[in-house]
């Protein structure tokens, strides 16, 4: 697959977490490969990670410098960073970096956005009003043209598994009322379209996970499959989407089952996250589908307990960078 025309842009996330360390490690691993990214963040913080840094003005300046130094769009932080101790005074700069990165992607100066983890508590303390990256990026791109069913839909991927969420960060007792036909149908449409556009899968195959054990056991263990999920699967097949009826989740994720579909539509958080993290705990990637910009992220948090100790693993960030590059190339080829 050919590389996308513009480099990626990486937002540094919470500066007191592992973001600076894994960003430097990702550059060290990828600097000799045929992809490039620019970082939005404090150049001094990245120099402190022991890698060469070159300051640039746009992600477009990164490609011809990437092999020699980590390209950084320098945005100094208001207060010094102490690893493991987030300061709300730096949180507005974190949000500004995300907004600037999305702006680069919308303008074509970047082919996609890779976001290092943020810490929500200091963000909320500074007035940030979004549950997380996904919702913030959805608002930042709300007025941008987009041909297709608009998300966002969260996809978690590891190895050959793509697990997509109907509900995300909600209490388990709220899930049944949120698993509506409309919500499930929209999720499936977004995933179907994204697999074609961003993953170059001409005829996507979707598997639907049931909400209840044993897919409701004919109604004995719950009626959601009969009343909601089977009818919406039939509706989607009528639209030309290849999707199964709800299948018991405990038989959906082993090796043979995964070979039968390209993505699984999961009803709640742990139904998707447990198999993803079991397959590849260190290398999972979070992807936002159904947006005008490509966005990926490592599937882990800020790691305050290990920040600054030189032990953070960059596997997930590297996987997120590679996947964003592949998605950008697929989208550019259409």
């Amino acid at each position: 697959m050919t590389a996308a025309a513009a480099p990626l842009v990486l937002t540094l996330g919470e500066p007191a977490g592992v973001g600076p360390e894994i960003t430097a490690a990702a550059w060290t691993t990828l600097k000799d490969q045929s992809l490039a990214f620019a970082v939005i963040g404090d150049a001094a913080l990245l120099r402190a990670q022991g890698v060469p840094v070159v300051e640039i003005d746009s992600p477009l300046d990164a490609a011809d410098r990437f092999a020699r130094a980590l390209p950084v769009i320098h945005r100094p932080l208001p207060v010094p960073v102490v690893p493991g101790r987030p300061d709300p005074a730096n949180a507005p700069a974190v949000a500004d970096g995300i907004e600037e990165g999305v702006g680069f992607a919308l303008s074509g100066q970047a082919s996609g956005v890779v976001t290092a983890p943020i810490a929500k508590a200091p963000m909320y303390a500074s007035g940030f009003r979004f549950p997380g990256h996904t919702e913030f990026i959805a608002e930042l791109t709300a007025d941008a043209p987009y041909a297709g069913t608009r998300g966002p839909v969260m996809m978690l991927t590891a190895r050959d598994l793509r697990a997509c969420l109907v509900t995300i960060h909600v209490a388990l007792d709220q899930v049944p009322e949120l698993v509506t036909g409309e919500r499930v149908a929209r999720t499936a449409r977004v995933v179907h379209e994204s697999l074609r556009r961003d993953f170059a899968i001409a005829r996507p195959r979707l598997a639907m996970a049931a909400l209840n054990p044993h897919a409701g056991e004919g109604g004995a263990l719950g009626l959601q499959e009969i009343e909601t999920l089977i009818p919406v699967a039939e509706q989607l097949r009528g639209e030309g989407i290849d999707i199964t009826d709800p299948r018991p989740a405990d038989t959906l994720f082993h090796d043979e089952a995964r070979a039968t579909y390209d993505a699984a539509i999961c009803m709640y958080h742990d139904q998707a996250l447990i198999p993803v993290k079991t397959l590849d705990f260190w290398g999972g990637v979070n992807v936002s589908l159904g947006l005008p910009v490509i966005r990926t992220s490592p599937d882990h948090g800020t790691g305050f307990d290990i920040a600054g100790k030189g032990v953070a693993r960059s596997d997930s960030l590297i996987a997120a960078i590679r996947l964003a590059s592949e998605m950008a190339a697929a989208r550019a080829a259409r």
Side-chain angles (χ1 to χ4, degrees):
M1 185 174 292
T2 58
L8 300 167
V9 64
L10 189 152
T11 62
L12 199 55
E14 169 53 56
V18 297
E21 181 180 337
I22 61 175
T23 297
W27 174 79
T28 300
T29 298
L30 298 172
K31 60 186 175 66
D32 296 325
Q33 301 185 21
S34 58
L35 62 86
F37 61 86
V39 182
I40 299 174
D42 193 310
L45 183 60
L46 288 159
R47 286 191 179 96
Q49 308 307 312
V51 297
V53 166
V54 58
E55 295 184 27
I56 59 174
D57 296 320
S58 162
L60 293 174
D61 301 327
D64 60 353
R65 308 182 188 194
F66 190 77
R68 300 186 302 277
L70 175 59
V72 178
I73 299 166
H74 178 48
R75 298 293 180 259
L77 293 166
V79 298
V81 173
V82 179
R85 296 174 58 185
D87 193 323
N90 283 329
V94 173
D96 290 346
I98 299 166
E99 184 169 1
E100 186 173 16
V102 171
F104 281 133
L106 288 173
S107 70
Q109 294 180 72
S111 59
V113 183
V114 181
T115 58
I118 59 174
K120 294 179 182 177
M123 297 288 283
Y124 295 157
S126 74
F128 188 74
R129 60 183 178 84
F130 299 91
H133 268 117
T134 304
E135 296 83 1
F136 185 34
I137 294 172
E139 173 147 318
L140 292 173
T141 59
D143 295 330
Y146 183 70
T149 306
R150 189 176 284 264
V153 166
M154 182 182 290
M155 169 188 284
L156 287 304
T157 181
R159 287 174 44 187
D160 61 345
L161 174 60
R162 303 180 186 95
C164 308
L165 289 162
V166 174
T167 68
I168 308 176
H169 295 119
V170 298
L172 198 56
D173 63 1
Q174 298 175 29
V175 170
E177 65 186 60
L178 294 174
V179 176
T180 63
E182 180 181 359
R183 190 185 295 264
V184 174
R186 182 184 68 85
T187 301
R189 292 185 190 111
V190 169
V191 174
H192 172 80
E193 294 167 12
S194 181
L195 289 175
R196 296 183 63 191
R197 180 185 59 247
D198 300 326
F199 293 83
I201 299 173
R203 295 179 177 82
R205 303 164 300 162
L206 305 184
M208 181 187 295
L211 176 64
N212 294 300
H214 300 183
E217 197 76 75
L221 298 178
L223 296 173
Q224 286 87 355
E225 285 73 23
I226 293 172
E227 295 179 349
T228 301
L229 298 183
I230 291 174
V232 81
E234 292 173 347
Q235 173 191 339
L236 290 165
R237 287 193 291 269
E239 298 174 12
I241 295 175
D242 182 353
I243 188 168
T244 68
D245 281 342
R247 295 165 58 181
D250 63 350
T251 63
L252 194 58
F253 299 109
H254 63 283
D255 291 351
E256 291 82 358
R258 294 197 311 274
T260 67
Y261 60 82
D262 300 301
I265 307 299
C266 300
M267 299 300 129
Y268 57 93
H269 183 275
D270 285 8
Q271 192 177 63
L273 270 288
I274 289 172
V276 166
K277 293 194 174 185
T278 300
L279 276 175
D280 190 352
F281 185 80
W282 297 109
V285 178
N286 182 340
V287 188
S288 297
L289 305 181
L291 296 177
V293 300
I294 290 165
R295 180 258 171 162
T296 67
S297 179
D299 183 27
H300 61 69
T302 52
F304 288 135
D305 57 326
I306 59 171
K309 297 180 180 179
V311 298
R313 293 181 56 156
S314 59
D315 310 47
S316 187
L317 179 59
I318 291 169
I321 292 167
R322 285 176 169 152
L323 181 58
S325 180
E326 292 168 4
M327 292 173 66
R331 190 174 286 197
R334 286 183 63 83

